[in-house]
Amino acid sequence: MLWMEEGLYLRVEELPGGPRPLPMLSGFNLTTAYRALGCFNPSETSDAYFILSNDRDEVWFICNRHLRTVVIRRDCTAFRLPLSFFGKDTLTGTLSAVLPRLSD
């Protein structure tokens, strides 16, 4: 199954001994938020592989076990943003929830 996401940004937190490819050996770093271009979930495993563009503009499928959520920003289309762009509250998960407005 393949799906495309709009605006989900993820950060790398490589799992020692985790599934290949290892993000830190594949052109990713710890100070960048990467926009998820999509996600692939092969039927033979419970892992999901996010489609990300690395710092060398290569497209990789990285296992969800190496990734942590940062934010959903549908108003932004950049492949990569520095984590500092989002602020400390966003990275700790303490940002208060905003309820969607219902249309009239």
Side-chain angles (χ1 to χ4, degrees):
M1 176 179 182
L2 178 70
W3 59 263
M4 306 303 266
E5 176 55 63
E6 293 184 24
L8 174 62
Y9 282 86
L10 305 165
R11 64 181 175 85
V12 171
E13 189 174 301
E14 189 171 291
L15 179 67
R20 307 260 182 215
L22 297 175
M24 300 305 294
L25 298 176
S26 304
F28 295 91
N29 71 71
L30 300 175
T31 61
T32 300
Y34 298 92
R35 183 180 181 160
L37 304 175
C39 185
F40 176 68
N41 182 243
S43 59
E44 65 274 4
T45 178
S46 61
D47 290 332
Y49 290 83
F50 283 88
I51 305 166
L52 307 171
S53 176
N54 70 6
D55 300 333
R56 300 183 298 237
D57 294 324
E58 301 167 337
V59 176
W60 284 81
F61 285 67
I62 301 296
C63 182
N64 63 290
R65 291 191 273 165
H66 295 300
L67 303 170
R68 303 294 178 266
T69 56
V70 176
V71 70
I72 292 179
R73 291 279 308 257
R74 289 192 173 93
D75 63 332
C76 188
T77 59
F79 290 139
R80 296 168 295 278
L81 291 168
L83 286 175
S84 59
F85 176 83
F86 298 103
K88 184 180 73 166
D89 288 341
T90 305
L91 299 180
T92 61
T94 59
L95 191 62
S96 56
V98 178
L99 298 175
R101 292 180 3 165
L102 299 175
S103 60
D104 297 340

